[in-house]
């Protein structure tokens, strides 16, 4: 599986999360929602700003992929969580040269992205903590609280 070397720019980057939820409008009431599919693909609109050799690489990468378009490739994206991770992708359509100024090329593309496996227990924990009014930073920084608050309080009596 090929791996795209360039990370996309943070500006001009968006993702539509695939949810697999079907909504049905009902007359005179709220719509009905139901889960229809699991693991539906995301759609990412991305952009690269590169120089001449970078543009040549991106176009070559696309042409190599297009010879076998059922083959996924890896790209570093931020979709299912806050971290940039490797995702398996396909191009959806062809990349577009959006602008060229001197030796700077702006290339945009749309990718179909396979979602990562997420921890549903962690999702439940995060949402429940938010429902209970817990500061979400406390969930991720327990060591900081232990070292800066609990330990000094415990040593206070010694």
């Amino acid at each position: 599986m090929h791996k795209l070397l360039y990370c996309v720019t943070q500006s001009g980057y968006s993702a539509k999360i695939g949810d697999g939820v079907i909504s049905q409008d009902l007359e005179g009431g709220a719509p009905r929602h139901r889960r229809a599919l699991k693991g539906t693909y995301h759609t990412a609109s991305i952009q690269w700003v590169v120089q001449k050799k970078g543009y040549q690489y991106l176009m070559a990468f696309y042409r190599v992929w297009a010879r076998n378009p059922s083959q996924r490739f890896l790209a570093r994206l931020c979709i299912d969580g806050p971290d940039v991770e490797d995702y398996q992708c396909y191009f959806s359509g062809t990349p577009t040269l959006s602008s060229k100024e001197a030796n700077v090329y702006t290339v945009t593309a749309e990718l179909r992205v396979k979602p990562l496996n997420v921890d549903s227990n962690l999702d439940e924990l995060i949402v429940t903590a938010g429902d209970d009014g817990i500061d979400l930073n406390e969930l991720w920084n327990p060591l900081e609280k232990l070292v800066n608050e609990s330990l000094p309080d415990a040593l206070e009596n010694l």
Side-chain angles (χ1 to χ4, degrees), residues 6-131:
Y6 291 125
C7 280
V8 299
T9 60
Q10 290 182 2
S11 62
Y13 178 97
S14 65
K16 181 178 183 212
I17 308 302
D19 63 4
V21 174
I22 293 178
S23 178
Q24 179 181 8
D25 289 331
L26 301 174
E27 287 187 32
R32 178 179 298 159
H33 301 282
R34 67 181 171 91
R35 181 75 178 206
L37 304 168
K38 274 184 107 174
T40 55
Y41 272 52
H42 308 311
T43 302
S45 298
I46 58 174
Q47 171 180 287
W48 298 276
V49 178
V50 293
Q51 294 183 344
K52 186 176 184 177
K53 293 295 181 187
Y55 180 70
Q56 184 176 13
Y57 168 77
L58 289 173
M59 294 301 99
F61 189 91
Y62 173 75
R63 288 189 297 268
V64 167
W65 172 83
R67 289 183 202 129
N68 186 8
S70 63
Q71 174 83 30
R72 295 183 194 126
F73 61 89
L74 294 175
R76 298 202 38 86
L77 303 169
C78 172
I79 298 177
D80 287 314
D83 299 322
V84 175
E85 300 182 66
D86 283 336
Y87 282 84
Q88 294 182 22
C89 307
Y90 298 96
F91 282 100
S92 178
T94 59
T96 303
L97 176 60
S98 301
S99 73
K100 179 189 179 302
E101 294 182 31
N103 286 329
V104 178
Y105 299 78
T106 302
V107 180
T108 58
E110 187 170 276
L111 303 179
R112 298 287 290 152
V113 181
K114 181 179 178 183
L116 297 178
N117 293 327
V118 294
D119 183 353
S120 58
N121 292 328
L122 179 59
D123 287 348
E124 289 291 332
L125 175 67
I126 293 168
V127 172
T128 301
D131 291 344

Side-chain angles (χ1 to χ4, degrees), residues 134-152:
I134 295 173
D135 180 6
L136 297 180
N137 285 320
E138 290 179 24
L139 294 176
W140 283 276
N141 296 322
L143 186 59
E144 183 178 325
K145 182 177 181 182
L146 177 69
V147 171
N148 294 327
E149 295 176 24
S150 301
L151 182 63

